Amino acid sequence: MANETATLAGYVAALRFEDIPQDVLARAKVLTLDFLGSAIRARREAESTPSLLAMLQALSLDGDGAATVFGDAKRWTPAMAALLNGALGHSLDFDDTHADSSLHPSAPVVPAAFAVGELVGASGREVLTAIVAGYEVCCRLGNALDPTSHYARGFHPTATAGAYGAAAAAAKLFGLTQDQIVAAFGVSGSQAAGSLQFLVNGAWNKRYQVGAAAMNGVIAATLAKNDFIGATESVEGIHGLLVGYTDTPHHDKAVADLGRVYETMKIGVKPYPSCRYTHAAIDALIAMRREHNLTPDQVRRVEIGLHRNGITLTGDAATKRHPSSIVGGQFSMFFTGALALEQGSFGWDDYTRLGDPAIDALADRFDVVQDARLEGKTHPFGARVSITTDDGVHERIYADPSGEPNAFPTDQAMAQKFLQLARPVLDGRAQQFADAILTLERFDRVATATALGQPAS
């Protein structure tokens, strides 16, 4: 242990826009845009959105404020904007992923940064700095938790480590001192919560708990700003995050090369709206379908090998072979794999095929197994795919899915993904908003840019 809480807090307090390499800033802007595309589309189409809005109305939490909920014409209070943007941006399961920590950094961090940024009248440069600070904190804590052990304990790292990342982003924008950020992290230690139990019945907890992490980060930082005394050593302490949430903590990973190596550059993006553990297999299935000109009637059996984390999340045949809900589909290797093999593609609109007899029949030919060849690797998202036909067995191993940093999509591809998601909601404003986010550092007030993320009245 090396005072990880205070070290991370000191990093956040001292970080300056000028300190951040240009490639890191460019990547942060693209990741932010990618996340906002999912949030905007989910405001209109995610099936859980009406329940969230009804809850806020029932509890009189839907009052007017100065913060933007992207894709929504109404202005919200900062905490509620963080909650909604976090939940919405994670609803499609189309948001970015940090492979080493197996979490989605933008979902808790970006909503907290924009909510507080609008509250304090921050510039685009200040908000970008806060986003990078949040990415670094939550990804590093996710690494330190050891995602395999964290998952085995039943925790969702985007919601647990994410609460700290959100607090870091909010604290940076409030201009908190190192000691105040330690206090904010102390509060975050009491708010770090996220259960994987949603996997059992395709529940909406996953979306809500990530939105709650964004909101809780805002609350933690606001408490610290107002002299609230939070716990010290909330990361490394005797009852800290790395004691209660994992069996194999890696304290050094929380602070290793801090300020020199940017975890932000290790964040990948999703080409498919489903759990990242399904993506390498989907890539392989689409490629093999094309290469061998396969049709469903030729396929006798498909075996997909995954890392044990992928089995935990997507490979339980008893509950995941024929999902009936979107969340169930997002976490079903059977459904997503059968869909990709049947049609050679997979996008958000394809969830209309849940329950399709043709997809269910093909899914019945899938087996998902743990593959030892995928264990012990730095990145756990690879897959082995074996397809048995009358002509023999075709097999591929993909070490990583597409969209990882070593094959990051072009700016054009990222912009196209955003526009496909956002145009049905923002219409002509979608391109203007994309341009604003990709040049965020030019805005003296971030609110000028975020206003473009609302539908035209």
Side-chain angles (χ1 to χ4, degrees), residues 347-371:
W348 170 248
D349 294 327
D350 292 322
Y351 281 106
T352 57
R353 300 199 67 184
L354 283 164
D356 185 320
I359 300 300
D360 284 348
L362 188 53
D364 285 335
R365 290 173 240 166
F366 275 65
D367 291 311
V368 182
V369 300
Q370 184 176 338
D371 193 316

Side-chain angles (χ1 to χ4, degrees), residues 19-234:
D19 297 331
I20 304 172
Q22 286 299 310
D23 60 338
V24 176
L25 291 168
R27 182 62 54 84
K29 288 186 288 186
V30 170
L31 293 170
T32 297
L33 181 69
D34 183 61
F35 170 77
L36 294 176
S38 289
I40 289 166
R41 188 65 170 268
R43 173 61 186 87
R44 175 179 290 186
E45 294 188 10
E47 72 279 28
S48 53
T49 301
S51 295
L52 284 170
L53 296 174
M55 177 273 291
L56 296 178
Q57 182 181 36
L59 297 178
S60 298
L61 295 173
D62 60 341
D64 293 334
T68 302
V69 169
F70 298 97
D72 192 318
K74 173 182 161 54
R75 306 284 289 180
W76 294 78
T77 61
M80 294 305 103
L83 171 68
L84 287 172
N85 284 325
L88 293 172
H90 200 49
S91 289
L92 307 191
D93 225 317
F94 218 169
D95 48 320
D96 55 34
T97 305
H98 181 261
D100 289 358
S101 61
S102 194
L103 62 77
H104 304 268
S106 287
V109 169
V110 170
F114 278 119
V116 177
E118 290 181 304
L119 174 66
V120 302
S123 68
R125 288 162 61 102
E126 291 168 328
V127 168
L128 280 172
T129 304
I131 288 172
V132 172
Y135 284 161
E136 293 300 309
V137 168
C138 74
C139 290
R140 289 170 173 278
L141 289 178
N143 291 344
L145 282 165
D146 182 348
T148 298
S149 178
H150 198 49
Y151 278 131
R153 285 277 197 98
F155 289 115
H156 182 208
T158 307
T160 54
Y164 282 81
K172 185 63 185 173
L173 286 159
F174 280 136
L176 301 190
T177 66
Q178 180 180 3
D179 286 345
Q180 288 175 312
I181 298 172
V182 168
F185 287 163
V187 176
S188 298
S190 294
Q191 297 170 317
S195 166
L196 292 177
Q197 189 66 20
F198 67 84
L199 292 167
V200 174
N201 65 329
W204 295 338
N205 297 52
K206 183 172 187 281
R207 305 163 182 192
Y208 172 77
Q209 64 200 26
V210 172
M215 176 184 69
N216 287 336
V218 171
I219 292 171
T222 306
L223 284 169
K225 178 178 182 292
N226 288 283
D227 302 320
F228 190 87
I229 298 175
T232 57
E233 299 184 338
S234 72

